[in-house]
Amino acid sequence: MMNNPQHPKQPLVWILSIAIVLSGIVALTDAATPDKEASGQPTVSGPRQVLASLGIDADRFAALADGKPWTPADQEVLLRILYRMPWIPLSDIQRWAKTPDLARLTDDPGAHRGEVYRLQGRTVAVEVLRVSPEMASRLDLPAYFRVELKLPDGRQAIVYARQGPHTWKTHPPSDQLAGALGFFLKLGADANGKSVPIFVAPRIAWYAGTLLGSLGMDQGLLEEVWQEEDAGGPEGPGSAAKIDVGRLRLTSRDRQAFYQMLAAVGRAAPGQLLDDAELSLRKANRTSDSVVPLFNNPKTQLGRLVLLAGTARRIVPIQIDDQDLVAQLGFDHYFELYLFTDDSQENPLVFCVRQLPPGMPTGEGPEFREYARVAGFFFKTWAYRRADSSSPGKMQWQLAPLLIGREPVWLPQTDRTSPHGGLIAGTLLLIFAGFLLMVWLYRRSDRRRGQPAGGSQATWSPPTSDEVPRPQHEPDFNGLAEIDSQQAPEIDDPGGPRP
């Protein structure tokens, strides 16, 4: 029987046929899918368009009456925007923000309605406005802030903010430096009939009269970082205490404050934090801060600038993978440094710094040791899991102070000195000279007795360095939004130095 010469080609024909059919389906699908640019649909790119996509369109804005008292229509638009604020990325709001030109706003408010402005001034009055229980449930907004600001040019502005410092709810401040990224809403009028621009913002920032405040750190964000009241029990620091470890993990509630503090220290001049910390220590006749309060009384240390010196046994770069966050901050990495001080009793303190000195190595492991001095602000007590040295294979919870600084001062091996270096070196030199004298006298005595000098030889090797206690779960700073699903237990003794 003769073979059909076309038979081997049939699979190829079937494949080509299927490909043609699939191509037709794809073409029909593409044709049925409208192209945004071709159909004339606008792309969302500005604040007005974003607000319109969230239901605050031109018709809503048209209901706002400039130069007139506050109306129910104004209140409705305000509450709608406050409700939608969490939907708008902060990186976009920062990108849209510009310096306000109040003269232009007054001349043509309608043309600038919905635009974002960067506001800063001193508080004249602060009110916390409560929302009815029914409305609070619908808007997830029990209360909001109304802040009157005196701007640098002497004019006033009103800012409604969804969030603000917790302290302001019970103790409204006066004459405090504050700021906001505000959407322009309308022109109001004061008691004298003078125009007052009104803005609505995601939060009102409080720049307290501290070094951190001068660097642009919102004290209100820092207040929101939860702190354990005391690492000790009823008998005081150092006693056994029940600590909710879950509240000490790094999660989304810490995200904004953590990165804003990293951004704030980056605004400091090189060496500024070190100079300020050294000045405070000189006034107290000290050369370094104690770590004991950082471990045992963390609530009293929140935002405090400290200067610590010790051995860094781990220095690693941390990359920020969230591109929206990178756009918001203006930097994409920082460094994590584990510091062991003389008084930390083999417990690490974790520093997060913006940069390292030129040539300072990174790494970790039993042999990695770099001496450094670091000035930084205490952020919070951080809980992590590490191997239990007394029970192999088991995990235990460990607490470590978490601090944020600009850069460490690196003291390489050849450059390490101490305030008593000359005295120590002189003492060692005298001891060595005495040893040589004893050897010379011994050899001379041996020769006189006709005995050979020396004796049995012994070898010596340096002791093996202790392995750095490594946590099994490093702080997941670039994944703060992911909350650990494991139930965090309560622990009796957090570890750490005792006074």
Side-chain angles (χ1 to χ4, degrees):
M1 180 182 294
M2 295 181 63
N3 294 328
N4 186 350
Q6 295 181 349
H7 183 73
K9 298 182 179 180
Q10 287 180 0
L12 178 61
V13 173
W14 280 104
I15 292 173
L16 290 174
S17 300
I18 292 172
I20 292 173
V21 173
L22 290 176
S23 299
I25 293 175
V26 172
L28 289 174
T29 303
D30 289 342
T33 303
D35 182 74
K36 290 185 177 181
E37 293 184 1
S39 62
Q41 293 182 5
T43 57
V44 177
S45 59
R48 282 292 295 266
Q49 292 171 315
V50 169
L51 290 173
S53 70
L54 296 175
I56 302 96
D57 54 16
D59 291 338
R60 298 285 182 187
F61 279 124
L64 300 174
D66 291 301
K68 295 183 179 180
W70 195 252
T71 67
D74 299 338
Q75 183 72 6
E76 181 184 353
V77 175
L78 171 67
L79 290 178
R80 282 180 176 273
I81 298 178
L82 287 174
Y83 171 64
R84 292 296 189 180
M85 276 296 178
W87 275 261
I88 308 175
L90 183 57
S91 58
D92 286 343
I93 298 177
Q94 288 183 326
R95 176 168 54 87
W96 297 329
K98 50 190 177 182
T99 304
D101 186 341
L102 297 186
R104 295 181 63 185
L105 289 180
T106 304
D107 292 341
D108 191 0
H112 303 284
R113 214 179 311 277
E115 293 183 349
V116 181
Y117 294 91
R118 194 179 304 274
L119 307 168
Q120 184 167 311
R122 305 199 72 85
T123 59
V124 177
V126 175
E127 291 182 80
V128 179
L129 303 178
R130 305 290 175 181
V131 180
S132 66
E134 179 184 356
M135 188 65 71
S137 177
R138 290 175 53 193
L139 302 179
D140 189 25
L141 183 69
Y144 58 96
F145 291 88
R146 180 185 184 275
V147 182
E148 293 183 29
L149 285 180
K150 184 177 182 180
L151 304 179
D153 63 359
R155 300 193 188 190
Q156 289 196 2
I158 296 175
V159 179
Y160 290 96
R162 180 183 175 91
Q163 295 179 314
H166 182 75
T167 304
W168 288 14
K169 295 179 180 179
T170 53
H171 298 84
S174 177
D175 196 28
Q176 292 287 314
L177 186 63
L181 298 175
F183 292 76
F184 175 59
L185 195 59
K186 62 169 282 184
L187 284 179
D190 62 14
N192 300 320
K194 189 176 181 180
S195 296
V196 178
I198 300 175
F199 302 84
V200 54
R203 79 172 286 119
I204 185 78
W206 173 27
Y207 307 118
T210 63
L211 176 58
L212 261 179
S214 69
L215 296 174
M217 177 65 195
D218 179 2
Q219 180 72 18
L221 285 176
L222 200 57
E223 286 181 350
E224 294 173 10
V225 178
W226 185 91
Q227 289 294 311
E228 182 67 33
E229 293 233 349
D230 200 328
E235 291 79 16
S239 61
K242 291 292 186 180
I243 295 179
D244 183 2
V245 179
R247 299 187 72 181
L248 300 180
R249 304 303 304 277
L250 282 168
T251 63
S252 57
R253 67 174 175 267
D254 305 312
R255 178 184 178 92
Q256 195 65 26
F258 174 79
Y259 286 114
Q260 286 301 319
M261 187 179 282
L262 267 178
V265 297
R267 301 184 192 105
Q272 181 181 354
L273 303 187
L274 180 69
D275 292 342
D276 278 55
E278 286 183 332
L279 178 61
S280 297
L281 288 171
R282 282 197 299 270
K283 292 179 180 178
N285 292 322
R286 296 163 60 189
T287 58
S288 182
D289 285 291
S290 170
V291 302
V292 173
L294 301 178
F295 280 95
N296 293 349
N297 299 289
K299 187 178 181 181
T300 64
Q301 306 298 303
L302 184 63
R304 178 180 166 228
L305 179 64
V306 298
L307 174 60
L308 301 174
T311 302
R313 301 188 195 173
R314 183 172 190 261
I315 304 175
V316 293
I318 304 294
Q319 194 73 24
I320 303 174
D321 296 329
D322 188 335
Q323 293 307 308
D324 286 339
L325 186 60
V326 170
Q328 172 190 332
L329 298 173
F331 58 90
D332 62 2
H333 72 281
Y334 57 93
F335 294 89
E336 180 187 295
L337 184 149
Y338 279 51
L339 191 74
F340 293 77
T341 66
D342 291 340
D343 58 346
S344 69
Q345 300 175 12
E346 287 301 300
N347 293 286
L349 296 97
V350 181
F351 274 89
C352 294
V353 296
R354 287 287 303 274
Q355 62 188 49
L356 298 178
M360 188 173 191
T362 59
E364 57 184 315
E367 303 302 322
F368 184 86
R369 292 170 182 263
E370 295 295 334
Y371 191 77
R373 302 173 71 216
V374 196
F377 298 97
F378 178 74
F379 181 71
K380 71 173 291 182
T381 299
W382 168 57
Y384 63 84
R385 286 169 288 186
R386 53 167 292 192
D388 189 343
S389 57
S390 61
S391 302
K394 291 185 63 177
M395 303 294 292
Q396 68 177 2
W397 288 94
Q398 177 78 26
L399 303 185
L402 178 60
L403 303 100
I404 298 176
R406 189 182 189 278
E407 73 279 301
V409 176
W410 177 41
L411 299 177
Q413 182 70 36
T414 55
D415 295 335
R416 293 178 191 174
T417 60
S418 71
H420 307 292
L423 178 60
I424 294 174
T427 303
L428 291 176
L429 183 60
L430 288 174
I431 293 174
F432 183 65
F435 174 74
L436 291 179
L437 179 61
M438 290 176 62
V439 171
W440 179 78
L441 292 174
Y442 174 69
R443 288 176 178 272
R444 181 179 179 185
S445 176
D446 282 346
R447 284 195 297 272
R448 286 181 176 177
R449 294 194 300 265
Q451 297 176 357
S456 59
Q457 298 293 320
T459 59
W460 178 87
S461 60
T464 304
S465 60
D466 296 332
E467 185 174 355
V468 178
R470 287 284 313 286
Q472 297 297 315
H473 293 262
E474 305 296 350
D476 187 17
F477 296 132
N478 57 343
L480 286 171
E482 300 177 5
I483 301 178
D484 197 330
S485 60
Q486 177 176 341
Q487 181 66 32
E490 291 185 339
I491 58 177
D492 291 330
D493 190 350
R498 301 292 184 244

